[in-house]
């Protein structure tokens, strides 16, 4: 029996020894990259630096607003409030608090959620100074280990002083002394009890408990702190009652949105671009759960073209030539066609940091500029259409209504090829192309190039019911035509290094093959016609540049006339022009930010400047360098004088199978039309296009082309000339 016991004991001991070494190895592995506790590492985070495309430092941002205060100068009532709320056993634990940890686990298990945390003040100092906010096991092990080391190396007062100067209060404010001045314009010893309670509670969720933005939540958090003080006999019941009945706004310094946003120092003309950098950082997975990435001592290398950015923003602010002065808004986005990297962002007239960025955030109707994206390019990609594929331009009544789609010239043109339908931006052929492609197929194609489509209606085809787009979205979409079918999500950021000099991964999304190179080439060749005398936007052409583009516009509905006296026939609501070369893509929008006065309507002269602005900026960004021509891909063949792709994309063949929108069926029609087409057909279409140009050019120059996405008379018009 003893022998058996010894044998079992030996096995048990061996197992324990093996487990011990496994755990030891696990901890050793997790701690191998643990940072050192040094004075430099414990210093408060550095501000971040932003560099332009020429590697010049153009902004130091995220500089923490912090006025350091010694622990000896912090009133006792403030430290007591913090300890009572955050870490009541701070003076007795060793950096980690097993009792609090067990309690937190039990509470969270009971509630089936993470309602209570277990981090001590020491652990929070370690996390804010040495680690990230990542909730991985490795980070938790490192945090516990470093907390023990920190307690061994520094006194409790030292650690408390670090904490009180590191905690974040939102709006770029760090440290209790800074927060007291920012929110109350007071020294620490001048704060009232409810003010102390608010500042004590805010760091738990500084954004949510900001009294400027969320006064209700801020009061609830303040009152929680007051109750904790009452429960621990730190204040009397009378003090508690008086404090909880004090308005949360009591003593708060009033600040405008601009005053709160203006926490950084840089050329104000860069504000729209830098705001987009901030947005991209916050959306990036590297900064998940990070309150303020710009306060992490980053080095951010961008594609900002400083001269162009100043030029673009100056044009908007001063409404200088070629822009014409008007009361509504405007936005501009400029991309590198090949990379999708943003050269400049004109966020709106007189843009201020933290403002509404019309180039990025606006969602306005694209008008006819949407036609290549959802009507024609999908047909080239999935059906094998070419520039001479024809569409019926005859009366079109919207099913179930008395409304008719109408062209800008109020005429019907019989059977027209795609090249002429796009060059002259006719509506009816576009609607028929959209119907033939099918909503699901158009949506599939458009979303691959960053354009949302959610309404299956005829007017979607002409920009009337698209979800709304920004100049940045449209620039990204059209750049994919100029980039051989590859879509790059527009981005300001080239690369980012953390405070330790390590480059962060995945800062920019990888290019997506959105369409074939052949589709991009064929679409580009067609859109070159838009910028000629046989198209709607000859003023968008830059001499000697191989470039393509598309205009678009929308008009006001009749309520604008009844409510504000706007001439809905001869006024434009949204005016668009997007142009691209192999080097750059420029997207320009001018239009009514809100319909509240007749002054917001663009006149004919004002709307016509949109294409001129695009061409002007294209020349500026190209800096006198003529771009390389668009290359013909190997998959292009020619039949009867017309280029087409010898292969089509079959990925949507499962859609609409067996119907008129069946891709195999439509591809056969396209092929048959190509085979039956004689060389004379192309010549005839070209001559017809030239005749159309001569017949309508004077008309186009003498009046505004009307259009309306939301009209209620018996016809629906859409401006397709701009």
């Amino acid at each position: 029996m003893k022998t058996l016991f010894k044998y079992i004991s030996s096995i048990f001991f061996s197992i324990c020894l093996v487990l011990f070494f496994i755990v030891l190895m696990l901890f050793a592995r997790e701690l191998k990259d643990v940072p050192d506790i040094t004075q430099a590492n414990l210093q408060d985070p550095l501000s971040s630096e932003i560099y332009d495309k020429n590697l010049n430092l153009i902004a130091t941002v995220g500089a923490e607003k912090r006025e350091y205060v010694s622990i000896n100068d912090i009133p006792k009532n403030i430290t007591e409030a913090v300890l009572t709320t955050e870490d009541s056993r701070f003076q007795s634990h060793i950096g980690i608090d097993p009792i609090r940890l067990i309690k937190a686990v039990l509470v969270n298990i009971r509630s089936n959620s993470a309602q209570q945390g277990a981090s001590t003040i020491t652990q929070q100092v370690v996390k804010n100074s040495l680690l990230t906010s990542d909730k991985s096991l490795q980070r938790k092990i490192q945090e516990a280990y470093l907390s023990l080391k920190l307690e061994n190396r520094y006194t409790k007062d030292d650690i408390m002083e670090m904490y009180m100067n590191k905690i974040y209060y939102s709006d770029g404010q760090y440290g209790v002394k800074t927060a007291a001045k920012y929110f109350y314009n007071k020294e620490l010893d001048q704060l009232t009890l409810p003010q102390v309670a608010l500042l004590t509670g805010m760091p738990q969720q500084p954004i949510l408990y900001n009294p400027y933005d969320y006064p209700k939540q801020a009061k609830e958090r303040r009152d929680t702190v007051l109750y904790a003080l009452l429960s621990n006999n730190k204040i009397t019941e009378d003090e508690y009652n008086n404090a909880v009945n004090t308005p949360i706004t009591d003593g708060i310094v009033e600040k405008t949105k601009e005053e709160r946003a203006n926490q950084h120092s840089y050329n104000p003309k860069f504000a729209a671009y830098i705001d987009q950098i901030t947005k991209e950082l916050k959306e990036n997975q590297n900064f998940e759960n990070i309150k303020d990435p710009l306060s992490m001592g980053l080095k951010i290398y961008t594609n900002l073209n400083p001269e162009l950015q100043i030029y673009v923003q100056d044009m908007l602010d001063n409404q200088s030539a070629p822009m014409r002065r008007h009361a509504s808004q405007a936005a501009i986005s400029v991309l590198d066609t090949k990379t999708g990297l943003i050269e400049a962002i004109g966020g709106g007239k007189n843009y201020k940091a933290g403002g509404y960025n019309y180039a990025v955030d606006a969602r306005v109707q694209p008008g006819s500029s949407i036609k290549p994206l959802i009507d024609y390019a999908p047909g080239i990609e999935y059906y094998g259409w070419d520039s001479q594929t024809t569409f019926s331009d005859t009366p079109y009544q919207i099913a179930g209504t008395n409304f008719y789609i109408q062209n800008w010239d109020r005429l019907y043109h019989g059977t027209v090829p795609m090249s002429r339908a796009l060059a002259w931006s006719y509506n009816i052929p576009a609607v028929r192309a959209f119907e033939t492609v099918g909503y699901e197929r158009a949506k599939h194609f458009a979303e691959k190039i960053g354009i949302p489509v959610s309404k299956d209606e005829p007017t979607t085809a002409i920009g009337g019911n698209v979800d709304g787009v920004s100049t940045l979205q449209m620039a990204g979409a059209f750049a994919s035509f100029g980039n051989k079918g590859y879509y790059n999500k527009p981005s300001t950021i080239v690369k980012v290094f953390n405070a330790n000099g390590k480059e962060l991964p995945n800062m920019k999304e990888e290019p997506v093959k959105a369409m074939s190179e052949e589709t991009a080439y064929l679409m580009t060749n067609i859109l070159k016609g838009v910028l000629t005398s046989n198209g709607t936007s000859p003023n968008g052409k830059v001499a000697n540049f191989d470039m393509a583009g598309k205009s678009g516009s929308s008009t006001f509905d009749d309520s604008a006339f009844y409510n504000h006296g706007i001439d809905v026939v001869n006024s434009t609501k949204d005016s668009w022009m997007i142009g691209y070369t192999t080097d750059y893509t420029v997207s320009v929008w001018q239009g009514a930010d809100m319909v509240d006065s007749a002054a917001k309507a663009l006149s004919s002269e004002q709307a016509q400047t949109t294409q001129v602005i695009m061409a002007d900026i294209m020349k500026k960004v190209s800096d006198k360098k003529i771009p390389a021509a668009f290359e013909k891909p190997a998959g292009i063949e020619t039949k009867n004088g017309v280029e087409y792709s010898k292969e089509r994309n079959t990925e949507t063949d499962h859609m609409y199978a067996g119907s008129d929108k069946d891709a195999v069926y439509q591809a056969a029609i396209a092929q048959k039309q190509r085979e039956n087409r004689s060389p004379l057909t192309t010549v005839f279409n070209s001559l017809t296009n030239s005749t159309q140009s001569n017949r309508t050019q004077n008309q186009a120059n003498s009046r505004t082309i009307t259009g309306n996405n939301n009209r209620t008379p018996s016809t629906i018009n859409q401006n397709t000339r701009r």
Side-chain angles (χ1 to χ4, degrees), residues 392-412:
S392 174
D393 187 6
T394 53
Y396 182 100
Q397 183 177 5
I398 297 178
T401 74
N402 294 321
F403 301 152
Y404 286 81
I405 299 291
Q406 192 174 85
N407 293 320
W408 60 267
D409 59 2
R410 307 297 195 275
L411 299 174
Y412 302 110

Side-chain angles (χ1 to χ4, degrees), residues 657-679:
S659 72
D660 288 346
K661 299 169 190 171
D662 185 301
V664 176
Y665 170 72
Q666 286 294 334
I669 293 177
Q671 180 64 22
K672 185 175 181 180
Q673 188 178 115
R674 200 159 25 244
E675 291 173 351
N676 293 337
R677 187 186 298 142
S678 70

Side-chain angles (χ1 to χ4, degrees), residues 437-553:
V437 166
Y439 164 73
E440 292 295 340
R441 188 173 280 116
K443 175 184 175 71
H444 174 76
F445 183 89
E447 289 181 347
K448 288 198 292 183
I449 53 176
I451 302 298
V453 181
S454 64
K455 296 183 178 70
D456 184 7
E457 299 174 7
T459 49
T460 297
I462 52 178
N465 282 309
V466 179
D467 295 354
V469 290
S470 67
T471 58
L472 194 62
Q473 284 177 298
M474 292 297 275
F478 275 84
S480 64
F481 292 140
N483 190 35
K484 301 181 178 180
Y486 281 92
Y487 170 73
N488 286 286
K489 183 177 180 181
S491 173
T492 59
I493 296 171
V494 177
K495 59 179 65 176
V496 176
F497 294 86
N498 66 16
N500 295 322
K502 180 181 179 181
E503 183 176 355
L504 301 180
N506 305 317
M507 286 307 306
K508 186 180 184 301
E509 294 186 16
E510 292 297 316
V512 173
K513 185 68 172 174
M515 70 191 84
S516 71
E517 185 177 351
E518 289 74 19
T519 294
Y521 169 80
L522 293 171
M523 194 75 254
T524 293
N525 272 359
I526 295 169
L527 292 178
K528 288 179 184 180
V530 174
L531 305 181
T532 68
S533 59
N534 290 334
T536 58
S537 306
N539 292 326
K541 181 75 164 67
V542 178
N544 301 318
F545 277 29
D546 191 17
M547 63 184 294
K550 186 69 185 77
S551 57
S553 63

Side-chain angles (χ1 to χ4, degrees), residues 334-472:
V334 186
L335 302 183
D336 182 306
T337 299
K338 296 182 182 69
T339 65
L341 291 170
I342 302 170
E343 297 275 334
I345 296 176
K349 298 175 181 178
N350 301 304
Y351 185 88
K352 298 293 188 296
Y356 185 81
N357 194 329
Y358 285 93
V360 177
D361 300 320
R363 296 292 179 266
V364 296
Q365 290 182 346
S368 294
S369 63
I370 203 69
K371 291 175 181 176
L373 309 180
I374 66 173
D375 302 336
Y376 297 112
I380 297 174
E381 177 77 358
Y382 302 121
Y383 293 169
W385 288 351
D386 58 49
S387 65
Q388 298 304 303
T389 297
T390 56
F391 303 91
S392 174
D393 187 6
T394 53
Y396 182 100
Q397 183 177 5
I398 297 178
T401 74
N402 294 321
F403 301 152
Y404 286 81
I405 299 291
Q406 192 174 85
N407 293 320
W408 60 267
D409 59 2
R410 307 297 195 275
L411 299 174
Y412 302 110
H413 308 92
T415 300
V416 295
M418 186 193 302
S419 58
R420 183 150 63 96
L422 261 173
W424 285 102
S425 207
Y426 296 142
N427 287 339
I428 297 169
V431 172
R432 290 203 159 101
F434 178 75
E435 285 190 337
T436 304
V437 166
Y439 164 73
E440 292 295 340
R441 188 173 280 116
K443 175 184 175 71
H444 174 76
F445 183 89
E447 289 181 347
K448 288 198 292 183
I449 53 176
I451 302 298
V453 181
S454 64
K455 296 183 178 70
D456 184 7
E457 299 174 7
T459 49
T460 297
I462 52 178
N465 282 309
V466 179
D467 295 354
V469 290
S470 67
T471 58
L472 194 62

